[in-house]
Amino acid sequence: MPNIRARLLVVLVVLFGSPTVTGTPSATAATAVPDTLWFDGTPLTVSNGRFTDGQGRTVVLRGYNVSGETKLEENHGLPFASVAEARKSATALRALGGGNSVRFLLSWAHAEPVRGQVDTAYLAAVTDQMRAFLDAGIRVYPDFHQDLYSRYLFDRDSWYSGDGAPKWAVDAGGYPDEFCGICPFWGQNITQNGAVKAAQYDFWHNAHGLQDAFLATAQQAMTYIRQHLSAEEFASIVGFDPYNEPYAGTYEAGRTSRTWERDLLWPFYGKFRARMDAAGWQDKPALVEPNLFWNANIDSQKQVGGLLDAGTLGPRYVFNTHFYDQKAVSGILMWGKAADGQYTTDFGTIRDRASAASTAAVVSEFGHPLSGMVSDKAPTVLKAMYQALDSRLPGASWWSNPAGSGPVLSGSQWQWDLYNGRHHELMNDNPGKVLTSGDAWNEEDLSAVRLDDWGVVILRQDARLLDRLYPSATSGTPVAFTYEDRSRDGSTTLTWNPVPGSLPNVARLVGSGQYGLLLWRSGGGTAPTELHLPASFPTATTTVVSDLGTAHGPPAYTGTTPIAAAPEPGGTGSRRLLLTAADSGVLHYALVTNGATAPSTDLLNDAQSELAAWTAAHF
């Protein structure tokens, strides 16, 4: 694309919003970061219980898992068939899904197919696909993924499959023939399948040197990734998730879930941390997961855990957990749909555990099936989960108690799979069981996207739900945040947090549109506070009411403009709102809405006065 056309595209995006993502992204999007501003591109660290960038801003990571395709064999344990498709996915994830980060899945089985021999061709392909996301301005945290320990535990005609460990690791254990009994859900294999339980037990006890082999491979993989990314690219690697959904397999006599975490899981994380340091990742945190069942919302599944005996995790570790509503997934234990505040208690527990451990938190998996008998719950379940990431309060009580909102959580939805519904997976290498539908893995179907017949990336969920306003970088400390996405359940618009009648001018300004409200205390830095602007917030029709001023159609960013808009890094067409306040310790607020049509100066001023009085009354 000639330079003048590239500049014109950036101007149009700033003025009118994000373009539709079709086909393969342009060379500009794939290779350069033409819209980087002076405060972009710094590594993240963990400080005072939050992710912070090089400007000291509080960073919130939002995005998706890329992807369940890694669990399959059709693309040899890679998320994508090619780098070009990785680039297409990254562009769409940024422009359509609003993500600024991904949890990037890796396969131990493909990294070390022969014991003691790391496959550098696999690592090279992984690194090239990872680079496609880094080039799109998306931060990455890799994850060595496993489910049910390994696909090689399962018979060719089994109902289920796994992923993770290589065949040689399974052969070393000599495990019994796998059998789950009456297991309508694949996850029941974790606690009911004797082969899976025995293999998990062996890994955590380092039987046959399995854990040592995994750690050695992990170190070599991390070393390769660091050496084959530029310093600028490596700066956008957040950290590493050592092991997906750890579980003991079987508890020894006298051992509990809590003592298993203390005596076996936490020492493993210490060893992995040492491997990170040796590989040159010493400045990046390990994103460590507790016992899989520590926060299950079915009482019979819940187990005591959460790394309670690990002490202060501090800046070298992040508290990393998953959350699925198993009651809703069961179709029996929750008959109706999710409602306002459905998961505020569950996600509040995550906030509290991270705070007690003096570290940041990330919900690295959450989601709900998009087909099958419980798929009708998905619009409300996902809305309630995103609501709980944004705030620990239901919408009904947010305006009356904003100080109880709590920190905004980082999260990665499961999942972002281009090949949804178009797979060609030989289940357990059985040519008589070719899986094509859904995610092609244990009858799951959770991908937010798919490709249409022309190869265009399209969303399978409401864009209002996925492409969200959120504070991606706050100059100082967020105090409270809420976002009313007005997403839909069928033809019904879900409004769980309407502007109260006590703020009539704010309510009039918002109307039936979407809105977000951020309150933050400034930290003295000169870099602005950033909020991601969804595609539903075209710059020309976005309205901001803040103590910093008011704006309808905020102008392009300059260092002296308190309220402005700019492209997000990566050249994908995504945009951000930038709010600059160089003071320190001052409470600021900003309401952002797409509901106003040519608001008058009087309306903007009246809404500003209402918000100022409301802020003073509650803080």
Side-chain angles (χ1 to χ4, degrees):
M1 178 182 291
N3 287 339
I4 188 167
R5 289 180 61 199
R7 294 190 186 108
L8 178 59
L9 174 60
V10 170
V11 171
L12 291 173
V13 165
V14 170
L15 290 176
F16 299 111
S18 148
T20 301
V21 175
T22 58
T24 303
S26 69
T28 300
T31 61
V33 187
D35 37 22
T36 298
L37 298 172
W38 65 269
F39 43 81
D40 293 326
T42 60
L44 296 188
T45 56
V46 178
S47 177
N48 297 319
R50 54 199 172 103
F51 289 110
T52 57
D53 67 7
Q55 309 300 330
R57 299 182 298 175
T58 300
V59 171
V60 171
L61 301 173
R62 290 288 176 88
Y64 305 84
N65 282 263
V66 177
S67 72
E69 176 68 19
T70 301
K71 295 157 54 165
L72 308 181
E73 287 297 302
E74 62 186 6
N75 281 326
H76 312 293
L78 293 168
F80 304 98
S82 66
V83 173
E85 291 189 352
R87 289 173 178 161
K88 177 188 291 189
S89 182
T91 299
L93 190 145
R94 194 75 147 133
L96 301 181
N100 66 355
S101 62
V102 293
R103 181 174 182 244
F104 194 99
L105 275 58
L106 308 178
S107 167
W108 178 20
H110 288 85
E112 190 187 9
V114 177
R115 183 163 194 161
Q117 298 181 25
V118 172
D119 187 346
T120 55
Y122 174 75
L123 297 182
V126 161
T127 305
D128 286 344
Q129 293 189 8
M130 198 178 293
R131 184 179 291 109
F133 287 83
L134 299 170
D135 287 347
I138 296 170
R139 296 186 185 268
V140 172
Y141 59 105
D143 153 53
F144 262 119
H145 207 80
Q146 72 80 38
D147 296 282
L148 309 183
Y149 190 69
S150 174
R151 71 184 281 114
Y152 299 105
L153 282 173
F154 291 85
D155 300 328
R156 284 163 66 91
D157 60 350
S158 177
W159 290 3
Y160 297 107
S161 187
D163 68 282
K167 185 177 185 300
W168 64 258
V170 172
D171 291 343
Y175 302 112
D177 193 41
E178 59 90 11
F179 179 68
C180 192
I182 302 174
C183 293
F185 301 103
W186 72 259
Q188 291 175 270
N189 285 272
I190 299 170
T191 56
Q192 293 178 221
N193 190 319
V196 174
K197 292 164 62 178
Q200 292 177 110
Y201 180 92
D202 279 358
F203 180 84
W204 297 113
H205 289 81
N206 197 27
H208 319 292
L210 292 170
Q211 194 177 115
D212 290 341
F214 173 80
L215 290 168
T217 296
Q219 179 178 335
Q220 291 184 67
M222 289 186 284
T223 300
Y224 186 96
I225 291 169
R226 179 184 60 81
Q227 291 177 343
H228 290 81
L229 293 176
S230 69
E232 180 182 8
E233 290 165 343
F234 190 61
S236 292
I237 299 290
V238 175
F240 209 108
D241 182 346
Y243 196 91
N244 179 68
E245 297 183 352
Y247 184 64
T250 302
Y251 295 119
E252 302 158 286
R255 192 181 297 282
T256 66
S257 57
R258 179 168 179 170
T259 60
W260 175 78
E261 281 193 347
R262 182 193 67 196
D263 298 338
L264 292 165
L265 182 60
W266 185 247
F268 166 76
Y269 286 145
K271 294 174 185 176
F272 196 95
R273 174 71 266 180
R275 299 285 184 158
M276 291 179 68
D277 295 348
W281 294 54
Q282 61 270 19
D283 296 328
K284 299 181 183 298
L287 289 80
V288 295
E289 301 184 36
N291 178 339
L292 166 63
F293 297 110
W294 84 279
N295 64 339
N297 71 336
I298 297 177
D299 290 340
S300 62
Q301 292 183 347
K302 188 182 289 290
Q303 298 183 16
V304 176
L307 304 177
L308 295 170
D309 299 299
T312 299
L313 300 186
R316 285 167 58 78
Y317 297 92
V318 167
F319 188 73
N320 169 17
T321 189
H322 299 174
F323 183 81
Y324 293 94
D325 185 349
Q326 295 299 336
K327 292 181 180 179
V329 172
S330 74
I332 299 171
L333 300 176
M334 184 184 116
W335 287 99
K337 298 183 179 183
D340 177 27
Q342 186 89 15
Y343 306 116
T344 53
T345 298
D346 296 297
F347 284 56
T349 300
I350 296 169
R351 288 179 171 89
D352 293 341
R353 184 67 206 105
S355 177
S358 299
T359 191
V362 60
V363 185
S364 61
E365 281 190 30
F366 63 95
H368 190 81
L370 299 184
S371 64
M373 68 176 185
V374 299
S375 60
D376 65 310
K377 303 178 191 295
T380 57
V381 165
L382 267 295
K383 180 180 173 75
M385 288 180 177
Y386 274 111
Q387 178 193 52
L389 287 173
D390 290 343
S391 169
R392 65 187 305 155
L393 296 173
S397 61
W398 192 91
W399 283 94
S400 60
N401 181 31
S405 190
V408 183
L409 288 175
S410 295
S412 300
Q413 183 176 329
W414 186 272
Q415 65 163 324
W416 189 272
D417 175 22
L418 289 191
Y419 309 108
N420 178 270
R422 295 176 177 271
H423 292 283
H424 188 84
E425 173 71 2
L426 277 60
M427 184 175 181
N428 298 322
D429 301 317
N430 185 343
K433 297 184 73 173
V434 180
L435 305 181
T436 59
S437 62
D439 300 337
W441 194 83
N442 289 344
E443 298 186 350
E444 286 198 337
D445 185 12
L446 287 89
S447 177
V449 292
R450 65 177 178 87
L451 296 176
D452 69 10
D453 291 340
W454 293 271
V456 178
V457 183
I458 59 173
L459 296 178
R460 301 178 64 224
Q461 295 174 273
D462 188 351
R464 295 174 178 233
L465 171 71
L466 299 182
D467 189 11
R468 306 177 64 79
L469 189 84
Y470 62 92
S472 53
T474 303
S475 186
T477 305
V479 173
F481 176 70
T482 190
Y483 179 53
E484 178 48 74
D485 57 38
R486 313 263 194 195
S487 59
R488 295 175 180 172
D489 179 11
S491 60
T492 302
T493 298
L494 302 172
T495 301
W496 291 352
N497 192 2
V499 178
S502 57
L503 300 170
N505 291 296
V506 175
R508 181 181 162 203
L509 186 72
V510 169
S512 60
Q514 299 165 291
Y515 80 88
L517 177 57
L518 173 68
L519 296 102
W520 76 101
R521 197 167 296 279
S522 57
T526 55
T529 289
E530 299 186 28
L531 292 97
H532 169 70
L533 283 176
S536 59
F537 281 69
T539 307
T541 55
T542 292
T543 300
V544 183
V545 175
S546 170
D547 65 295
L548 303 175
T550 64
H552 178 69
Y557 172 77
T558 68
T560 59
T561 307
I563 300 173
E568 288 175 317
T572 63
S574 61
R575 295 159 300 113
R576 51 187 162 171
L577 181 71
L578 302 176
L579 306 169
T580 302
D583 46 31
S584 180
V586 176
L587 184 69
H588 296 284
Y589 65 85
L591 174 86
V592 187
T593 183
N594 61 2
T597 302
S600 67
T601 301
D602 288 344
L603 179 57
L604 292 173
N605 290 339
D606 290 343
Q608 185 184 47
S609 296
E610 285 181 352
L611 285 171
W614 173 84
T615 300
H618 289 282
F619 295 91

